[in-house]
Amino acid sequence: MSLSHWQVTVTCGGIGILSVLALWKTFGGSSRKYSVDLDGPKEAHWLTGNVRKLFECGLDYCVKLAEQYGGALKLSSLYGEVVYLSDPLALYHVIIKDQHSFEEPDVFIMNNKAMFGDGLISTIGEQHRKQRKLLNPVFSTSNMRELLPTLQPIAHKLTSIVASKLPDNGSYKEIDVLPLLSRSALDGVCQAILGYPSNTLDTGNDEYTEALRKISPMITKFLYFRPIVPMVMRNFSSYWIGKLVNLVTAPWIPTDKMKDVREMRRIIELMDSGSKKAFAGKKAALETPVTLTPAKVQPEVDDLKSGRRKDMMDIMLNVNSASSSSEQLTDAELLGQMNVMVFAGLDTTTSALSRCIYLLAKNPLAQARLRSEIRDAIKSASHAQEGSSFSEHDNPLLHLSYDALINLPFLDAVVRETLRLYPSLPHMGRKVVKATTLPLQFPVRSSSGAEISSIALHEDVFVIISILAANRNRTLWGDDANEWKPERWLSSPGRKDGPGTDIPSDSADVPLLKLSAPILGVKDGIKYPGVYSNMMTFLGGSRSCIGFKFAEMEMKQIIAAVVLRLHFVLPTDPDANGHIKEIEWKLKAFHTPVVKPPAGDGVSPAVPLNFRLVQEEDFKW
Ligand code: HEM
Ligand SMILES: *[C@@H]1O[C@H](CO)[C@@H](O)[C@H](O)[C@H]1NC(C)=O
Ligand SMILES: *[C@@H]1O[C@H](CO)[C@@H](O)[C@H](O)[C@H]1NC(C)=O
Ligand SMILES: CC(=O)N[C@H]1CO[C@H](CO)[C@@H](O)[C@@H]1O
């Protein structure tokens, strides 16, 4: 059989959006010659298999699957067999010890390259290692300290906008907080990462930020287009690719079909030219340090006290120019990082942030406890700072330092517990590029029902890392593993690293030493190879999330600001037809909150909550 055909395309939660497990196979059938000897659910669609169920049946389905079959099980797809993995030792091999046998799928890398250029998520091998080595120090704790002041005004602006909509007689008002949270995250990445003076919370989107916002939703429209991208990128020179793109986006092509392609092209061009402009400004500023102030910066951001605020691009360019020439990245690579950071940091953070605010609305006691912890911290910080009294107009949170903010125990517990239970990217894909044997910490069943503690994997097998199932293992977290209980972090032994642990400067090598003992040594101990506590939310190893400390800081700053000033609960008032709004989370490319019918349409993303200004009683728990 030599018929080329489209393979099943599965949204699989990939970097920043969905890793699209879009699989292109030139010669149908060849991969079916081998088989993975593992148990798994038998019922499957005759053509498309059962891997789709992971993405159609919701989080509980995925967790139950792992509970039933254990840390490794087999699923089927049109392409061939897929291994669904959550065993700690197996994951350690996939992302650290034996990482060279498991690569990001080509489809993922090449599509990212086509969209963003040469950033971290579009390179592999030596080029990736080199980029990572240069960039790791950019995300150090001391650099995060410098970036916090850029995020503080954004958190303050968000709460002020909500507060300004509330009646002053102390009664509740329903506000959809989702657009405000996603604009905060957008302003966060624009200002703190790129130094781009966006102010979408106030003024809405300009062309550039609109393009950034649209990129993820557009990608989901291209699932079926993505598999051919690697082939095109590898087989045509950029000249011919340009010609090809011109051809398919030419205005004379019958409209509707090509509308999305044209729109995608427009968005990528906008993103590209916006980043180029910002980058050129940065470089010019670096070469002539006197004129550091860019032309159009909002006074709000560009605060009176400290002049222009620092951003990650400044740090990156400084690190780069201080490095030896063999270690330096090219301008194209630096530019690629800008696009990649924004993309990788935007929807992931928005998703985690909105889930956290929703959970706090649902758990009034946790909300009150958090609020009181934050107020106490501000009080003691202002006592410590002799003579500094804060006025009504001054956001008191601005006085909470990075270390004070990051080390608040209950805030930390709330954020960790949210990221554990609802990882923004529940599944990541890897492809076996070199046949290998994967050891398991906990035995599972083979196809014939025998107990096995390792799995032979042939080349081309697809592996799904179940971040979700790993984060909810009952043996590790207890029988309440599926419940949101921030308190567990206040005493849990699962929390191995403290907040603010530095990323090792070459994380490709160091975690090996750090992790081998706890994984294999501790009696009954389960240690996941994650960079963040004992969980896989930010993955681990040389392709772990480089931005996790930034994400943690941004979430904490925004949640603290909201909770301190605003009290919020789930909607309680029936609409004209007597229906009360109920929020439901759908697992699409991301977990997307919608209002359940009949009160809502079940489709449009929204998090309507009842807000009012805080009162003294809201601090009691
Ligand atoms: C709650 C928020 C976030 C979550 C849950 C998250 C999760 C992840 C995960 C699971 C990966 C691994 C992807 C893979 O293996 O392909 C990853 C990679 C990455 N993340 Fe994040 N992320 C978050 C926020 C951020 C932020 C704010 C930034 C930027 C400042 C960022 C930048 C990156 C980059 C550049 C990579 C690619 C690293 C590499 O391949 O070397 N992420 N993230
Ligand atoms: C959790 O860990 C135990 C080993 O203690 C294992 O048997 C079980 O399959 C794991 N569950 C999941 C969902 O990975
Ligand atoms: C509070 O003010 C809002 C609007 O200003 C009004 O709709 C509401 O009825 C008032 N509630 C009370 C209890 O006075
Ligand atoms: C003719 C040619 O270069 N074919 C290549 C096109 O790209 C694929 C990878 O996607 C290669 O496997 C082919 O060799």
Side-chain angles (χ1 to χ4, degrees):
M1 200 171 102
S2 63
L3 249 189
S4 306
H5 58 267
W6 296 107
Q7 296 301 337
V8 197
T9 320
V10 184
T11 18
C12 175
I15 204 18
I17 25 165
L18 58 168
S19 86
V20 180
L21 207 172
L23 304 167
W24 163 264
K25 190 175 55 168
T26 322
F27 302 102
S30 60
S31 75
R32 288 177 191 265
K33 273 192 288 205
Y34 310 94
S35 175
V36 180
D37 190 15
L38 256 183
D39 199 6
K42 301 287 175 294
E43 72 289 1
H45 187 273
W46 65 275
L47 183 64
T48 58
N50 53 18
V51 81
R52 281 177 160 267
K53 285 188 139 185
L54 291 179
F55 312 101
E56 288 166 355
C57 300
L59 299 186
D60 292 345
Y61 172 82
C62 304
V63 174
K64 287 222 177 71
L65 210 54
E67 281 176 356
Q68 185 179 348
Y69 294 95
L73 60 112
K74 184 167 74 177
L75 298 169
S76 58
S77 75
L78 182 57
Y79 159 79
E81 292 168 337
V82 173
V83 178
Y84 192 68
L85 216 55
S86 58
D87 180 88
L89 183 59
L91 291 183
Y92 167 71
H93 273 255
V94 172
I95 63 176
I96 296 173
K97 179 117 190 265
D98 195 14
Q99 56 174 304
H100 303 297
S101 303
F102 301 86
E103 201 52 88
E104 299 259 9
D106 202 36
V107 179
F108 175 71
I109 296 290
M110 293 313 276
N111 274 279
N112 289 338
K113 208 190 249 315
M115 286 185 295
F116 308 114
D118 280 339
L120 276 180
I121 60 171
S122 31
T123 56
I124 56 171
E126 184 51 30
Q127 191 184 11
H128 178 265
R129 204 195 58 79
K130 181 182 168 192
Q131 291 188 355
R132 190 75 195 207
K133 189 166 179 203
L134 189 107
L135 293 171
N136 276 340
V138 172
F139 290 84
S140 69
T141 303
S142 55
N143 284 331
M144 293 304 119
R145 277 192 197 104
E146 299 214 37
L147 293 180
L148 182 63
T150 310
L151 297 175
Q152 285 164 334
I154 296 170
H156 183 45
K157 168 68 48 74
L158 165 68
T159 60
S160 302
I161 288 175
V162 177
S164 71
K165 293 181 177 174
L166 302 177
D168 46 19
N169 58 13
S171 55
Y172 283 108
K173 181 167 179 197
E174 188 185 293
I175 293 173
D176 177 11
V177 71
L178 187 63
L180 294 172
L181 293 174
S182 62
R183 285 179 176 189
S184 306
L186 186 55
D187 282 342
V189 289
C190 281
Q191 294 175 23
I193 297 181
L194 304 183
Y196 181 83
S198 72
N199 193 6
T200 65
L201 268 172
D202 256 347
T203 56
N205 289 304
D206 58 19
E207 265 194 331
Y208 179 61
T209 54
E210 181 67 12
L212 297 181
R213 202 182 59 79
K214 274 195 184 150
I215 189 110
S216 301
M218 276 313 279
I219 289 172
T220 43
K221 291 192 177 175
F222 279 84
L223 294 185
Y224 292 93
F225 184 72
R226 288 170 65 95
I228 58 163
V229 170
M231 199 264 295
V232 174
M233 294 276 286
R234 290 204 196 285
N235 290 317
F236 296 91
S237 70
S238 56
Y239 172 80
W240 286 106
I241 293 174
K243 287 271 178 218
L244 196 70
V245 171
N246 280 337
L247 186 75
V248 297
T249 58
W252 49 262
I253 294 220
T255 43
D256 258 21
K257 290 234 166 46
M258 284 298 140
K259 216 177 72 203
D260 286 346
V261 181
R262 240 172 265 146
E263 176 66 359
M264 187 63 157
R265 181 184 196 183
R266 199 183 65 88
I267 289 171
I268 291 174
E269 283 171 356
L270 276 171
M271 178 175 69
D272 196 48
S273 71
S275 309
K276 279 201 176 113
K277 219 157 72 190
F279 183 66
K282 291 270 172 215
K283 278 206 67 152
L286 198 71
E287 273 143 28
T288 47
V290 203
T291 55
L292 250 177
T293 321
K296 74 181 232 258
V297 186
Q298 276 76 11
E300 179 65 45
V301 178
D302 197 19
D303 183 87
L304 344 141
K305 269 185 253 161
S306 46
R308 198 175 80 80
R309 299 210 187 270
K310 233 190 184 155
D311 58 65
M312 213 177 273
M313 277 311 286
D314 295 329
I315 299 170
M316 200 186 308
L317 289 177
N318 278 325
V319 169
N320 198 47
S321 61
S323 301
S324 71
S325 59
S326 66
E327 291 185 337
Q328 278 182 0
L329 304 187
T330 63
D331 280 5
E333 284 177 300
L334 291 168
L335 199 61
Q337 309 306 339
M338 296 178 73
N339 294 335
V340 162
M341 299 294 168
V342 172
F343 173 69
L346 190 54
D347 289 329
T348 44
T349 310
T350 305
S351 158
L353 201 52
S354 42
R355 178 72 78 159
C356 195
I357 294 288
Y358 164 79
L359 288 165
L360 287 168
K362 210 174 153 188
N363 294 275
L365 268 180
Q367 192 185 129
R369 180 172 185 180
L370 184 56
R371 183 174 291 121
S372 118
E373 177 184 78
I374 294 161
R375 186 169 68 174
D376 289 350
I378 291 165
K379 275 188 192 149
S380 53
S382 67
H383 281 309
Q385 247 181 307
E386 200 56 41
S388 81
S389 60
F390 45 78
S391 71
E392 277 300 299
H393 311 289
D394 200 3
N395 181 6
L397 268 177
L398 291 177
H399 296 276
L400 222 45
S401 69
Y402 175 83
D403 297 83
L405 179 76
I406 290 297
N407 289 309
L408 289 175
F410 198 64
L411 178 58
D412 191 59
V414 163
V415 168
R416 269 174 213 264
E417 183 66 349
T418 306
L419 290 169
R420 178 187 72 83
L421 207 54
Y422 303 104
S424 310
L425 304 170
H427 298 115
M428 294 304 315
R430 291 288 190 271
K431 196 164 164 193
V432 178
V433 291
K434 207 168 72 202
T436 186
T437 299
L438 203 55
L440 298 169
Q441 187 169 8
F442 302 104
V444 296
R445 301 265 165 212
S446 71
S447 325
S448 60
E451 200 176 89
I452 49 169
S453 48
S454 69
I455 322 160
L457 297 177
H458 58 82
E459 212 179 299
D460 278 354
V461 167
F462 210 91
V463 172
I464 295 180
I465 299 172
S466 182
I467 292 177
L468 180 73
N471 283 359
R472 294 188 182 200
N473 190 303
R474 288 178 196 272
T475 312
L476 175 58
W477 299 101
D479 282 339
D480 57 4
N482 287 310
E483 291 163 46
W484 189 76
K485 286 191 174 166
E487 308 77 39
R488 76 170 83 241
W489 289 97
L490 300 176
S491 56
S492 169
R495 181 175 162 179
K496 291 262 159 54
D497 62 355
T501 324
D502 261 312
I503 302 179
S505 63
D506 189 350
S507 60
D509 305 330
V510 180
L512 248 172
L513 305 170
K514 246 182 32 183
L515 289 169
S516 52
I519 285 193
L520 304 165
V522 180
K523 197 157 53 89
D524 308 314
I526 305 182
K527 177 75 183 85
Y528 276 102
V531 286
Y532 189 67
S533 296
N534 208 350
M535 49 176 151
M536 297 302 293
T537 303
F538 296 103
L539 234 54
S542 62
R543 298 203 80 109
S544 61
C545 179
I546 202 172
F548 82 95
K549 259 182 276 168
F550 182 84
E552 180 189 33
M553 167 173 75
E554 182 169 11
M555 284 181 72
K556 286 182 174 178
Q557 176 65 38
I558 290 176
I559 290 161
V562 169
V563 165
L564 184 67
R565 207 159 160 198
L566 304 162
H567 182 266
F568 47 101
V569 292
L570 297 179
T572 49
D573 309 324
D575 63 15
N577 300 316
H579 304 302
I580 293 174
K581 287 184 186 164
E582 201 184 321
I583 299 165
E584 177 184 39
W585 293 77
K586 294 211 160 154
L587 182 58
K588 294 185 189 163
F590 279 102
H591 317 272
T592 309
V594 299
V595 178
K596 247 186 177 165
D601 64 6
V603 180
S604 321
V607 181
L609 298 176
N610 278 353
F611 282 92
R612 64 165 166 70
L613 292 173
V614 288
Q615 299 162 4
E616 193 46 42
E617 72 200 43
D618 303 332
F619 289 87
K620 296 199 186 76
W621 55 278

